[in-house]
Amino acid sequence: MATTKAGSTQHPTPQKGTHVDNHSAHTDDHSTGRVTKEDATHRKLFGDAIRRTRLARGLSQEELAHKSGMDRSYMGRIERGEQALSIDKIWHVADALDTDPSRLFAISLEIDAMEREREQDEREGFHGIDLGTDV
């Protein structure tokens, strides 16, 4: 950061493709600054992993937010996949959940595999076994 003659701090201008909000700076689509479909999917999966782990630990969203040093509404956006997390925030959330980041990523991958299998079953017309008929 640079200091002007008047003594105020000048923040560096973000590079093209970098989104800046009050919580973190992150790059989405490198050329447009938009969140790609793949990015949105990753955020949703990671948010689902946090939510499932939080519920398994018996924590409310507000309790997890407090333990992580975040606002409850911010935590809600994370769990819904609407907010990207910095590596520092991932560590804070993992610590608050008494786990490690690798476990949260592993849960994300497990959720993704289950969803892909469900989608494939739907495409193939599998809707379960009809136990009411004789074979």
Side-chain angles (χ1 to χ4, degrees):
M1 284 186 238
T3 304
T4 63
K5 289 180 184 176
S8 64
T9 303
Q10 250 183 328
H11 296 280
T13 304
Q15 294 178 347
K16 184 177 181 180
T18 301
H19 170 76
V20 178
D21 61 24
N22 293 335
H23 301 289
S24 63
H26 59 275
T27 302
D28 296 319
D29 181 292
H30 297 284
S31 61
T32 65
R34 295 185 183 149
V35 177
T36 66
K37 184 177 180 181
E38 185 178 40
D39 290 339
T41 298
H42 293 155
R43 291 176 185 182
K44 177 73 173 111
L45 290 168
F46 198 73
D48 285 346
I50 291 171
R51 181 182 49 80
R52 290 177 187 212
T53 305
R54 172 180 62 78
L55 293 172
R57 301 284 193 273
L59 293 171
S60 70
Q61 197 175 72
E62 188 168 357
E63 290 170 322
L64 176 57
H66 178 73
K67 288 178 72 171
S68 301
M70 299 176 202
D71 183 71
R72 191 218 47 85
S73 63
Y74 185 67
M75 185 60 67
R77 290 194 307 274
I78 292 167
E79 289 188 0
R80 289 188 305 274
E82 298 168 358
Q83 180 66 52
L85 288 172
S86 69
I87 191 67
D88 295 331
K89 288 192 183 340
I90 290 170
W91 275 99
H92 291 303
V93 171
D95 286 345
L97 290 168
D98 196 30
T99 192
D100 57 79
S102 65
R103 182 66 191 134
L104 293 174
F105 283 108
I107 293 168
S108 298
L109 292 172
E110 291 167 11
I111 294 168
D112 186 41
M114 288 187 300
E115 288 180 0
R116 288 175 190 256
E117 186 175 324
R118 181 187 50 79
E119 289 169 1
Q120 182 176 351
D121 287 347
E122 287 175 2
R123 280 193 306 274
E124 294 174 358
F126 178 75
H127 299 289
I129 299 171
D130 182 5
L131 299 176
T133 60
D134 291 84
V135 179

